[in-house]
Amino acid sequence: MTVDTAWLGTQRLPEVTVHASGVLAQTIRAEVRRTHRLRTDAHLSVCTLARVRETPLWREVEAAVPEHGLGVEGFVVVRRGNDLVVAAEDGHGLLYGYFYLLRYFEWMTGDFTVIEQPAVPIRMLDHWDQLSGTVERGYAGGSIFFRDGRVVEDLTRVRAYARLLASVGINAVAFANAELPDVARLSGVFREYGIAVSLAVDFTDDPRDERVARWWSATVARWYEVVPDLGGLVVRAGRDADGANVLARAVAPYGGTVFWRCAGTGPVPDWRDRRSDQARAAYDQFIPLDGRFEENVVLQVKHGPLDFQVREAVSPLLGELQETPLALELQVTQEYSGQQLDLCYLGPWWREILQFDTTGDSGATVADRIGAIVAVSNVGDADNWTGYKLAQSNLYAYGRLAWEPAADPVSLVHEWAAATFALDDWTRSELVTIMAGSWRTYERYTAPLGAGFMVTPSTHYGPSMTGYEYSGRGHFADRDGVGVDRTVKTGSGFTGQYPEPLASLYEDLYTCPEELLLFFHHVAYGHVLRSGVTVLQHIYDLHFQGYAEVEAMVAQWQAIAARFEPAVQENVTSRFDAQLANAREWRDQVNTFFYRLSGIPDAHGRVIHR
């Protein structure tokens, strides 16, 4: 089976000596054998700290190790002249150190010492693959794990996927719907790369029924008997949050963790009532429960209070939960961001979320507060993993930002491009220019100023201006204005879920960040933004600008396409054709909708379909 090597296909290393033992040391030796050789006088050693004195730089390594140690996953890299050593406490750190070496060796010059430790302890990807082989929220073909009701016979591709994940620091995955023997087989593969497997379940039982607790305890015991290092459980949907403690007590004897997704349950908001607001639901449900969970429960919070829109406010739960461990939930799969047909590199958006100040007053960021980061994966059985070759960059950036939330997303896409394609510097720079701003371009030609859910309900791809308007998640556009009033004074009161000074910042029409204006406020079309243009003119301008940017991206791609392999040329070109058509449809539908509703023409006389 030929498998796309993604960002692990072009790197080269000299000979490497491994001074370690165990499963992960064997994995490193296998990696060394498959890595392309580079002619150089450098001498590379990968060793545990217990054996570091077998290397020429042991004094320098021991001096570099922090007083508090490196932890299970940390590592140190020391270079002096032609000698280079990667050292760690055990196999996990060595594996990450080896991939660090693989990523950067050809850029390394001079003497240096690097100490790396992950900022977030648990870095997980969720997989909503069905046993039939279909993938829920998947846009890259069928499942690489399941077919016809069971796990696939040949796990070559699963192993290649585990290798990709480990190379960017992912240390956990979760599966829904898998049968126990299948979980054991999959766990065996991921174990080779230091990745723990968890099971995704639904909890719809009565948590106060003792029979429920006994059933879960017995069931979990059977699971751990087959897979002793099972990471735990991810609760995709739970009717009663008290169920988290039932599950937590069941997995606690085995060191397991329960990730409870904070979707916010309750009645669907009444579209007739402007004060009814789904954005409030998760906070209203979980803040009263803060501190009532077992210590091995992690509350998994979506980055925004709604549903992975291309722009929404950061969930107040990420700042206000104080007594319960937190996980941030993202989507690598592009459900609302182009479905791997449109180019939308999400690294800049994720970094904004991770670096968001949850206090509004130079306090803890989201990255400071979380103990885990989780996202729905974007892979399938497409030849290039993600359907769209360039969408591999999102998987890469997710892993790298999970390890280091302050990393520069533009530098990460440079890294990814350099590792993925054999390109000259100019071509790579042009590709990065196309990709780096693609999220903001996508935002410009889709939902303006934080007004979400203008998307087709059944597919979540392409515009539908009123498709969600009667589901409680609309944008409330009328003849006079647009946006959702979430203020305390006149709206749903959602702004009051934030601490001061954020609450006042969002409450005030004139201090609210303009990229979130329509998320927090219903404003008149004639409201003047800080740029001096009205809200409606800004909407018109954004959508013409977004389409023009896609046209420019297409032209830039056409200028460099010949430098890529034919399969990549064809794949990227076809996706740009689809994106240009999609951007045109968004531009025309959004602008026409608002023109017909308001009767106010574009100030520049551009074509709007009247």
Side-chain angles (χ1 to χ4, degrees), residues 14 39 115 293 358 418 424 451:
R39 291 183 179 275
I115 301 168
F293 294 101
T358 61
D424 60 87

Side-chain angles (χ1 to χ4, degrees), residues 330-351:
L330 304 170
Q331 274 193 335
V332 181
T333 193
Q334 292 176 232
E335 180 181 2
Y336 290 100
S337 54
Q339 299 190 355
Q340 284 138 245
L341 291 172
D342 294 28
L343 177 61
C344 188
Y345 171 57
L346 293 166
W349 182 208
W350 295 333
R351 189 181 186 280

Side-chain angles (χ1 to χ4, degrees), residues 283-299:
Y283 182 101
D284 286 344
Q285 180 179 357
F286 285 95
I287 286 296
L289 301 177
D290 193 16
R292 290 173 49 186
F293 294 101
E294 298 285 336
E295 63 181 13
N296 60 329
V297 171
V298 176
L299 293 183

Side-chain angles (χ1 to χ4, degrees), residues 191-315:
R191 189 178 297 118
E192 295 174 19
Y193 285 90
I195 298 171
V197 169
S198 292
L199 294 180
V201 300
D202 292 340
F203 189 96
T204 57
D205 304 313
D206 180 357
R208 285 159 286 279
D209 188 332
E210 284 298 320
R211 293 171 298 176
V212 170
R214 287 195 298 272
W215 184 90
W216 277 106
S217 181
T219 300
V220 165
R222 289 197 302 274
W223 290 346
Y224 275 94
E225 185 176 351
V226 177
V227 186
D229 57 353
L230 193 70
L233 304 177
V234 176
V235 182
R236 290 189 63 187
R239 186 177 62 188
D240 189 329
D242 287 336
N245 287 333
V246 172
L247 298 178
R249 287 189 284 269
V251 302
Y254 315 99
T257 301
V258 171
F259 291 82
W260 187 278
R261 299 181 74 232
C262 300
T265 58
V268 175
D270 186 349
W271 62 270
R272 300 167 184 83
D273 181 4
R274 292 272 180 125
R275 291 178 181 263
S276 180
D277 187 3
Q278 185 179 350
R280 292 188 55 100
Y283 182 101
D284 286 344
Q285 180 179 357
F286 285 95
I287 286 296
L289 301 177
D290 193 16
R292 290 173 49 186
F293 294 101
E294 298 285 336
E295 63 181 13
N296 60 329
V297 171
V298 176
L299 293 183
Q300 185 168 316
V301 181
K302 290 182 179 180
H303 72 75
L306 293 173
D307 194 20
F308 304 113
Q309 298 303 287
V310 72
R311 172 81 72 173
E312 55 181 290
V314 172
S315 171

Side-chain angles (χ1 to χ4, degrees), residues 26 39 47 123 270 342 405 513 549:
Q26 290 302 106
R39 291 183 179 275
C47 67
R123 306 170 300 280
D270 186 349
D342 294 28
E549 287 176 0

